[in-house]
Amino acid sequence: MTDSRDRAALIEHDRRFFDALVAGDAARLGELLADDFLLVGVEDGSVVPRSALLDAVTAGAVTFPAVESFPEEAVVRRIGDVGIVVGRTGMNFVNSDGTGFVAGSRYTHVFAKDSATGWRLVSAQGTRITSADR
């Protein structure tokens, strides 16, 4: 069962994650991500470890000009010390070669909570929405 405080905390963590991506703030991302964080890319399904994401953001190799999220639609669950957010975004990013990618996506973010760090993002996976159901 997820209470309103858990929902608010996890939605806020999601917002901070998206804001740090848009700002290109690798230091802030480093605070939000678990040491063993993994990202599964929405564009190509590649698996990106924490260090590679932070390096790419630091170097400006990938930028996120905009990420629009829809927190009111998010499904939030807590199971013990694990929080799961399934949400929707409208996002665009630019690769180091200048190619861009724009997509609506559904994502799953998995968080782990501990007494020292609070909620930290452990895993993120995006799936491009190809239907009219955005």
Side-chain angles (χ1 to χ4, degrees), residues 76-88:
V76 179
R77 297 179 291 159
R78 180 175 179 176
I79 304 160
D81 289 334
V82 174
I84 303 166
V85 177
V86 175
R88 179 171 69 93

Side-chain angles (χ1 to χ4, degrees), residues 16-84:
R16 289 179 184 157
F17 172 70
F18 293 135
D19 287 351
L21 286 176
V22 171
D25 189 342
R28 182 68 180 132
L29 281 173
E31 295 169 1
L32 298 169
L33 304 179
D35 292 342
D36 58 350
F37 171 82
L38 291 175
L39 170 73
V40 178
V42 68
E43 183 179 21
D44 61 6
S46 61
V47 178
V48 180
R50 178 184 191 270
S51 60
L53 176 61
L54 294 177
D55 289 349
V57 169
T58 298
V62 63
T63 59
F64 295 82
V67 177
E68 180 182 13
S69 64
F70 304 89
E72 68 282 356
E73 297 178 14
V75 176
V76 179
R77 297 179 291 159
R78 180 175 179 176
I79 304 160
D81 289 334
V82 174
I84 303 166

Side-chain angles (χ1 to χ4, degrees), residues 80-105:
D81 289 334
V82 174
I84 303 166
V85 177
V86 175
R88 179 171 69 93
T89 62
M91 64 185 300
N92 65 65
F93 61 88
V94 179
N95 294 307
S96 60
D97 64 2
T99 59
F101 178 76
V102 177
S105 72

